[in-house]
Amino acid sequence: MKLTINNETYDVDADGDTPLLWVIRDNLGMTGTKYGCGLAQCGACSVMVDGVVTRSCVTPIDAVEGQEITTIEAIENDPVGKRVVEKWVEHQVPQCGYCQSGQVMAATALLKEIENPTEDDVEAAMVNLCRCGTYNAIHAAVKDLAEGGAS
Amino acid sequence: MKKLFLTVLGVVVVGAAGTAWIATHTPSSPFDNVTASAPSEDLIARGEYVARLGDCVACHTTPDGKAFAGGLEMGTPLGSIFTTNITPDPETGIGNYSLADFDRALRHGVAADGHRLYPAMPYPSYDKMTDGDIEALYAYFMEGVEPVSQANKPTEIEEPLNMRWPLALWNVVFTEGEVYQAKASEDGMWNRGAYLVQGPGHCGSCHTPRGPAMNEVALDESSPEYLSGALLDGWYAPSLRNDPNIGLGRWSEEDVYAYLKNGRNEHGVVFGSMVEAFNNSTQFMSDDDLMSIAHYLKSLPADPDYDGPVWAYDEATADDLSRDVADKVPGARTYAANCAFCHGRDGLGQNEWIPPLAGVSSMLAPEAESAINVTLNGSPRVIANGVPDSYRMPPYREHLSDAQMAEVLTYARSAWGNHGDAVSEEEVAALRSHTDPASIDVIILQMR
């Protein structure tokens, strides 16, 4: 099966129902995307599929064949993603960092869809869990991005 | 006057004698006076297959117990009853059963000591099984099953309701007591399917509505109510007829085959009580048998009167779920945050791995129990060909309140062209307490 990840095409030897997360981490060795709950609830495994935030732990690979998958490794190749990472650094968001690749994905996907999201939009989109409780820092960074525009 | 009195007395005496005869009579078996000879390996193997067809293990085994040792609690309106030990242990099991005793239990609901079984044992279906299948099944249970010494638990039905003899009268009214008769007007495949569905498969135990005496209202396709869907055990077992909304109307025979063989197809994945039927029974059926079942079920006509207007996909919902309007539709945000990552904003699921919510019976049926139950409690592990599923519905019991769950289910039952009724907070609360795993009195199988 052929998967397009970060603008590269990979020939993957795995069953159609294999979770995308397994392929990204185990078959392809890109470990920036994390395994959290395995149930689409926490968001640690988030990637973008055609620009839409997707939980890779519950995404069978045969459902994303031919679509453009973006992982945290290539997020800075995206102008919006680059700006999100910069703001993340500026606001010193991460503590342990485990959930942060997913948080960055959620923020990037939001800003790609809505350039100047309202408070409500942010609340609806930023639902990833963080055990360290960095929610205030995440909120500050996203607010900064929302007000300044993503470009 | 005296003559009238004598006439009435005569009628009463004859009636009472007749009732007593029925209540105490041991039905005859074609195996009476037959001594079963040592069975061949082939017969035992065939019996094992028949045990798979009948899914004996599902009820006669507890989740952590030994196979066929019984003990599973079944809730009835009168009190709990427990399934029995059907291993060949002579003390606590059925080791002393003759072939004729075994036949009477299976096809007539009468135990070796003469007491009547509760019809939780699906003998109204098993009575259609052939002599050959009964003989093979007996061979398997005597020679192919490990004996387990485990005493049966007494029923918790109080006196005098625990008297068993009235069941003999129940049997006269509600069972047919006849081996399946092939219909000459239908082909062999149809007849094999009908035999499997009505007889050993006992599909109607869950999928046919029950009457006031807990009897299945129909036992074969001569009634339009047969397999027309029923509420049982906190789940809505959908119609298996050609109803496009709540039944198999939009499924092909190959779809039905794939569902029973693999536990999934593009229309859905087994959940609720069907997981047990799939894990223990249907996947072990031969391809020919599964195709026969599919062929038979697809011959059962739809009933538009109760199925309602035919569902058609409405793609507008997916657009509505984009963030700027999501908040305006109650339940949409909850759906987007909790459900959409698997089932999709388009409600179409992901290939055959994650089921759609668009156009499925649980979202279209007036009964919302299955939708509520699976959301509260998630889905058990589906094991196909020895391999556990990659994706499973998680329980949202601790995650969503009654109000949130009612709102999100009402949303899903009205999105993508679905036209199921709204779900109320009270319905969710009732099923939540009824299925609470933390309760000290949780009943695994609820007959009503």
Side-chain angles (χ1 to χ4, degrees):
Chain A
M1 190 171 302
K2 286 193 166 34
L3 292 180
T4 311
I5 302 174
N6 302 334
N7 282 324
E8 270 189 64
T9 304
Y10 295 90
D11 211 346
V12 176
D13 179 21
D15 292 339
D17 64 335
T18 310
L20 177 61
L21 178 63
W22 281 187
V23 170
I24 291 171
R25 289 181 57 88
D26 295 358
N27 295 45
L28 306 177
M30 291 185 267
T31 53
T33 308
K34 304 301 186 196
Y35 174 79
C37 66
L39 295 167
Q41 301 299 298
C42 74
C45 68
S46 298
V47 300
M48 284 193 292
V49 176
D50 287 345
V52 176
V53 68
T54 300
R55 304 282 192 255
S56 65
C57 72
V58 293
T59 303
I61 52 173
D62 65 6
V64 291
E65 206 178 356
Q67 290 176 280
E68 176 56 51
I69 298 158
T70 309
T71 71
I72 192 69
E73 281 82 0
I75 197 68
E76 286 181 284
N77 298 342
D78 181 301
V80 180
K82 189 169 172 21
R83 199 168 141 69
V84 170
V85 172
E86 281 167 5
K87 286 291 174 195
W88 240 245
V89 174
E90 192 182 313
H91 288 269
Q92 288 293 291
V93 174
Q95 282 193 35
C96 85
Y98 196 83
C99 74
Q100 295 297 333
S101 57
Q103 304 281 7
V104 167
M105 281 293 160
T108 306
L110 167 67
L111 292 162
K112 282 168 81 76
E113 195 173 333
I114 309 170
E115 200 176 317
N116 298 103
T118 63
E119 189 78 10
D120 243 14
D121 294 330
V122 172
E123 201 185 306
M126 299 302 294
V127 294
N128 294 18
L129 301 183
C130 170
R131 247 197 91 168
C132 304
T134 64
Y135 299 111
N136 290 339
I138 291 169
H139 187 258
V142 176
K143 191 162 185 277
D144 198 351
L145 286 157
E147 284 165 0
S151 52
Chain B
M1 191 66 198
K2 194 176 176 190
K3 198 173 171 188
L4 179 68
F5 173 75
L6 285 176
T7 310
V8 170
L9 184 70
V11 168
V12 169
V13 167
V14 170
T19 306
W21 185 81
I22 291 170
T24 56
H25 172 67
T26 302
S28 68
S29 160
F31 301 111
D32 281 328
N33 308 316
V34 172
T35 314
S37 48
S40 66
E41 288 299 316
D42 280 355
L43 191 66
I44 296 170
R46 180 179 159 194
E48 181 171 10
Y49 182 71
V50 176
R52 287 295 193 189
L53 296 179
D55 202 4
C56 315
V57 76
C59 290
H60 285 280
T61 308
T62 54
D64 300 316
K66 296 223 168 87
F68 303 116
L72 188 75
E73 181 172 2
M74 291 182 163
T76 81
L78 308 176
S80 283
I81 58 177
F82 298 87
T83 62
T84 53
N85 184 341
I86 55 167
T87 71
D89 182 65
E91 304 294 323
T92 61
I94 59 168
N96 289 330
Y97 271 52
S98 68
L99 175 55
D101 292 337
F102 183 79
D103 175 32
R104 268 188 283 272
L106 223 74
R107 293 197 290 197
H108 301 285
V110 180
D113 66 5
H115 82 261
R116 257 65 188 179
L117 306 182
Y118 288 110
M121 165 75 176
Y123 60 84
S125 299
Y126 291 163
D127 67 3
K128 300 191 180 199
M129 291 170 69
T130 60
D131 292 357
D133 276 354
I134 296 292
E135 213 175 340
L137 197 58
Y138 179 73
Y140 171 63
F141 273 104
M142 292 302 132
E143 307 292 336
V145 172
E146 278 295 305
V148 177
S149 178
Q150 180 179 304
N152 291 325
K153 291 185 190 170
T155 73
E156 291 176 354
I157 299 178
E158 305 272 341
E159 278 185 272
L161 294 171
N162 63 353
M163 284 191 295
R164 303 281 194 125
W165 64 264
L167 288 163
L169 305 178
W170 189 95
N171 292 345
V172 171
V173 182
F174 297 119
T175 65
E176 292 170 351
E178 194 180 42
V179 172
Y180 177 77
Q181 303 292 316
K183 265 192 171 178
S185 56
E186 302 287 350
D187 59 18
M189 190 183 188
W190 187 96
N191 275 301
R192 176 68 181 163
Y195 172 72
L196 292 167
V197 168
Q198 297 170 23
H202 66 286
C203 308
S205 292
C206 292
H207 291 274
T208 298
R210 287 179 187 255
M214 288 178 68
N215 55 302
E216 292 165 45
V217 295
L219 294 167
D220 63 38
E221 71 289 337
S222 59
S223 161
E225 287 190 272
Y226 184 58
L227 302 178
S228 63
L231 204 54
L232 189 83
D233 195 12
W235 297 98
Y236 170 70
S239 164
L240 301 182
R241 305 176 68 87
N242 264 307
D243 303 305
N245 296 327
I246 62 164
L248 304 177
R250 284 177 278 118
W251 295 31
S252 67
E253 287 186 25
E254 286 70 26
D255 291 337
V256 178
Y257 164 83
Y259 191 77
L260 298 173
K261 181 78 183 173
N262 307 319
R264 56 186 72 245
N265 63 24
E266 63 175 89
H267 300 287
V269 178
V270 292
F271 71 107
S273 311
M274 192 62 197
V275 175
E276 287 161 20
F278 169 76
N279 281 353
N280 297 316
S281 176
T282 66
Q283 68 175 308
F284 297 98
M285 296 183 191
S286 71
D287 287 355
D288 282 350
D289 278 354
L290 289 175
M291 284 306 292
S292 300
I293 289 173
H295 185 61
Y296 172 68
L297 292 178
K298 286 296 289 178
S299 77
L300 305 175
D303 183 350
D305 279 352
Y306 69 74
D307 196 39
V310 178
W311 171 82
Y313 185 67
D314 175 9
E315 59 190 3
T317 308
D319 302 332
D320 288 351
L321 271 174
S322 66
R323 290 194 185 87
D324 48 343
V325 294
D327 288 341
K328 299 189 179 72
V329 189
R333 184 190 278 198
T334 308
Y335 182 86
N338 294 280
C339 320
F341 288 113
C342 293
H343 296 288
R345 287 185 183 187
D346 57 12
L348 295 177
Q350 303 196 45
N351 298 339
E352 76 261 45
W353 310 116
I354 295 174
L357 300 181
V360 295
S361 62
S362 58
M363 296 291 146
L364 293 170
E367 296 84 353
E369 272 77 358
S370 284
I372 300 170
N373 204 337
V374 77
T375 310
L376 277 169
N377 300 309
S379 190
R381 180 168 290 181
V382 178
I383 301 171
N385 205 14
V387 182
D389 48 11
S390 304
Y391 309 97
R392 199 170 308 136
M393 175 75 180
Y396 283 84
R397 173 177 286 277
E398 307 295 337
H399 202 80
L400 298 177
S401 68
D402 293 341
Q404 284 174 314
M405 207 174 286
E407 202 173 74
V408 76
L409 288 172
T410 298
Y411 172 76
R413 280 165 64 87
S414 63
W416 315 290
N418 290 347
H419 47 68
D421 300 332
V423 173
S424 73
E425 214 176 312
E426 291 72 29
E427 284 177 275
V428 177
L431 208 52
R432 184 192 292 271
S433 99
H434 185 66
T435 60
D436 183 1
S439 150
I440 51 162
D441 194 25
V442 68
I443 292 171
I444 292 176
L445 201 59
Q446 186 78 35
M447 296 309 289
R448 280 296 251 195

